[in-house]
Amino acid sequence: SSKVTIGRNQSSVQGYLFAELLGTYEINKKIYLSINPKFSWNGYENHGGTGLGIEYKLNKNFYLIPELIVNHTNPEQTNTTFAVRRILNPNSSIDFYTSNALGLQDMSQLIRSDSPRFGLKLNFLF
């Protein structure tokens, strides 16, 4: 699948585009490999990178998910995220994570933060 975000910053009137191809491959019944190329354009600079992750199924309700985001444009921005996913029901889950990425969505995935982040993320399937 793919994800595309288009927007504009109202204060600077600067537009942006973010695109990501999402690919997950089943290695076996417990291990899934994700390879996700990402690209962002904002008029000032472009960023390209690849997300490499593994989902390891501990049991039917818990997954361990380490991910490395390699920034090909600016290698010192390469970052990592580690999450523990708890499946709540077939349509929702919650991730408890730590990351040194600026954020977990769109362009912020490609930028390294000055300090580690901790948080949770709710996931819903529609």
Side-chain angles (χ1 to χ4, degrees):
S1 65
S2 64
K3 177 170 54 166
V4 176
T5 305
I6 300 170
R8 180 176 296 265
N9 180 317
Q10 294 300 322
S11 61
S12 69
V13 194
Q14 178 61 51
Y16 70 89
L17 167 75
F18 175 82
E20 177 178 18
L21 293 174
L22 305 166
T24 302
Y25 308 94
E26 183 177 347
I27 304 298
N28 59 43
K29 299 239 184 235
K30 289 189 171 236
I31 300 174
Y32 302 86
L33 174 67
S34 296
I35 302 173
N36 306 325
K38 306 163 190 292
F39 178 78
S40 72
W41 175 84
N42 65 16
Y44 292 115
E45 61 183 340
N46 300 332
H47 288 277
T50 304
L52 303 168
I54 292 175
E55 292 183 25
Y56 179 75
K57 185 176 182 177
L58 289 173
N59 58 42
K60 71 177 192 168
N61 293 320
F62 287 95
Y63 287 80
L64 300 178
I65 308 170
E67 184 177 25
L68 171 69
I69 306 278
V70 178
N71 187 319
H72 302 300
T73 310
N74 197 353
E76 63 270 5
Q77 296 295 321
T78 294
N79 59 74
T80 58
T81 299
F82 180 77
V84 176
R85 178 169 292 158
R86 167 72 160 97
I87 305 298
L88 302 173
N89 62 52
N91 295 319
S92 63
S93 63
I94 187 169
D95 293 352
F96 301 93
Y97 69 87
T98 182
S99 179
N100 65 351
L102 193 58
L104 301 181
Q105 295 292 328
D106 299 342
M107 285 185 267
S108 63
Q109 297 175 66
L110 292 167
I111 302 168
R112 185 181 182 116
S113 173
D114 291 334
S115 60
R117 300 179 180 273
F118 304 91
L120 59 93
K121 183 172 100 174
L122 299 173
N123 307 296
F124 299 100
L125 296 175
F126 297 98

